[in-house]
């Protein structure tokens, strides 16, 4: 179904939009992106998402003027939401910036090539039923590069990791590097071990999830002990609880890993409590997307 998207300054029908075949996003995956939850026309945690996008652009040296691209995309998000009648209820905004279109060479193009800017928005259905019953996951080797802290559109290892759980009817791949569970294919991973909430520290091996940061803050506020330290796969299998976090997942209890029950095999009390606090928190932490031009 066609929807209205934003591409390089214009609103256009998604099935009529044209991207140059020389676009470096298409040829090299040379770009960064963000996915942001929207409730009633307002971003959930807008500033940290936009800050991560700007840091990503700087991290891959994509633009000398990340601030103006962030502002362009923020305005565009408001226009796209409005155009698709998504100003009320739950929606998801996707934004992407690539290094633009130029004859194919590995090195950066010269001569002021304009980055390609793209925004789309879709209706979002919160995953409440799965949060209620818990999700299954499968471990998978973490085959990604050493800058997983940057949210680039180079997602092939994530795509390859997500397919086996998808084919098996499971929800997520838990990525394992050197015996450590780094994160999920599109989520951060938490375990509760002897009452302590553990998650991988923010290093180059994981994406610094906005939801992860929020959940850690909420856990601390609730007086829980928190430890940002790598989780060994062996520890994951012995944990009292396992859960994953992300923009489209919120806090999702994981009750089944590699065909075995995780924790008690039911959503645990800490994951349930953090989910409830998180949902209350995001309904009060929204920021205005943009002033819609009249
Ligand atoms: C690899 C990876 N880790 C973690 C996350 C969760 O990040 P956030 O909570 O900011 O959505 C994502 C989100 O897409 C992701 O792609």
């Amino acid at each position: 179904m066609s929807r209205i998207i934003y591409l390089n300054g214009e609103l256009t029908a998604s099935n009529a939009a044209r991207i140059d075949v020389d676009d470096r996003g298409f040829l090299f995956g040379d770009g960064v992106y963000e996915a942001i939850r929207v409730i009633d026309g307002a971003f959930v945690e807008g500033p940290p998402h936009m800050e991560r996008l700007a840091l990503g652009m700087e991290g891959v040296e994509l633009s000398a003027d990340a601030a103006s691209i962030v502002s362009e995309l923020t305005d565009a998000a408001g226009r796209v939401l409005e155009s698709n009648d998504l100003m009320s209820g739950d929606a998801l905004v996707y934004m992407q910036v690539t290094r633009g279109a130029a004859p194919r060479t590995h090195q950066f193009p010269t001569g002021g090539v304009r980055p390609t800017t793209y925004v789309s928005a879709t209706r979002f259905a919160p995953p409440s039923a799965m949060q209620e019953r818990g999700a299954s996951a499968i471990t998978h080797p973490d085959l990604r590069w050493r800058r997983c802290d940057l949210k680039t559109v180079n997602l092939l290892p994530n795509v390859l990791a997500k397919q086996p759980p998808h084919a098996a009817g499971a929800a997520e791949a838990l990525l394992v590097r050197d015996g450590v569970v780094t994160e999920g294919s599109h989520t951060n991973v938490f375990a509760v071990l002897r009452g302590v909430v553990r998650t991988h520290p923010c290093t180059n091996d994981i994406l610094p999830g906005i939801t992860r940061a929020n959940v850690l803050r909420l856990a601390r506020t609730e007086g829980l002990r928190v430890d940002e330290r790598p989780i060994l796969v062996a520890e994951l299998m012995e944990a009292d609880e396992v859960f994953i976090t992300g923009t489209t997942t919120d806090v999702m209890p994981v009750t089944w890993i590699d065909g075995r029950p995780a924790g008690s095999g039911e959503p645990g009390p800490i994951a349930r409590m953090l989910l409830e606090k998180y949902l209350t928190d995001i309904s009060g932490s929204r920021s205005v997307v943009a002033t819609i031009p009249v």
Side-chain angles (χ1 to χ4, degrees):
M1 195 186 68
S2 180
R3 57 200 199 281
I4 304 295
I5 58 107
Y6 171 93
L7 184 64
N8 294 330
E10 308 280 340
L11 289 179
T12 176
S14 56
N15 58 1
R18 290 283 172 268
I19 296 178
D20 194 319
V21 292
D22 281 334
D23 196 281
R24 294 179 62 93
F26 175 58
L27 294 175
F28 294 109
D30 188 356
V32 293
Y33 76 105
E34 269 302 323
I36 311 175
R37 184 90 164 261
V38 176
I39 304 177
D40 291 337
F43 278 159
V44 172
E45 296 291 345
H49 276 284
M50 301 316 284
E51 194 182 318
R52 186 171 66 185
L53 184 66
L55 284 173
M57 273 187 268
E58 279 165 29
V60 299
E61 301 171 52
L62 195 148
S63 168
D65 196 5
S68 81
I69 292 180
V70 161
S71 138
E72 175 193 335
L73 294 176
T74 308
D75 281 356
R79 293 168 65 195
V80 170
L81 286 165
E82 177 88 336
S83 308
N84 289 284
D85 208 11
L86 292 170
M87 292 300 279
S88 62
D90 289 291
L92 194 68
V93 160
Y94 176 87
M95 37 180 80
Q96 177 173 321
V97 192
T98 78
R99 205 179 302 276
R104 187 181 183 281
T105 58
H106 281 63
Q107 72 272 18
F108 298 169
T110 49
V113 172
R114 190 194 180 284
T116 300
T117 47
Y118 165 56
V119 179
S120 68
T122 47
R123 181 62 64 202
F124 177 70
S128 324
M130 194 182 284
Q131 286 161 348
E132 223 9 76
R133 65 170 189 273
S136 303
I138 293 182
T139 53
H140 192 278
D142 190 342
L143 301 174
R144 301 172 303 160
W145 70 332
R146 304 315 296 243
R147 291 305 306 272
C148 300
D149 54 319
L150 301 171
K151 201 166 166 67
T152 80
V153 296
N154 261 284
L155 290 174
L156 189 53
N158 308 55
V159 167
L160 293 175
K162 182 67 198 285
Q163 186 53 28
H166 177 75
E172 179 59 306
L174 308 180
L175 305 178
V176 179
R177 195 196 287 271
D178 300 331
V180 162
V181 183
T182 48
E183 58 182 336
S185 73
H186 65 297
T187 58
N188 291 111
V189 178
F190 287 70
V192 181
L193 288 149
R194 287 171 292 283
V196 179
V197 177
R198 278 262 291 281
T199 193
H200 198 286
C202 277
T203 64
N204 288 4
D205 285 340
I206 68 159
L207 185 78
I210 309 298
T211 320
R212 172 192 179 282
N214 259 339
V215 167
L216 283 175
R217 176 178 55 78
L218 292 168
R220 290 189 171 106
T221 307
E222 290 307 309
L224 293 171
R225 278 189 298 148
V226 164
D227 193 1
E228 293 180 61
R229 197 152 51 90
I231 303 164
L232 302 175
V233 194
E235 291 180 305
L236 194 72
M237 304 316 285
E238 316 253 286
D240 303 328
E241 295 184 36
V242 177
F243 60 93
I244 52 180
T245 63
T247 293
T248 54
T249 357
D250 306 327
V251 176
M252 176 70 72
V254 174
T255 50
W256 206 253
I257 300 173
D258 290 345
R260 285 166 48 195
S264 69
E266 298 285 328
I270 291 183
R272 291 176 95 106
M273 184 269 281
L274 289 172
L275 171 62
E276 193 191 313
K277 298 281 171 202
Y278 177 76
L279 292 178
T280 309
D281 192 71
I282 62 171
S283 61
S285 73
R286 293 177 244 153
S287 56
V288 171
V289 171
T291 311
I292 310 300
V294 281

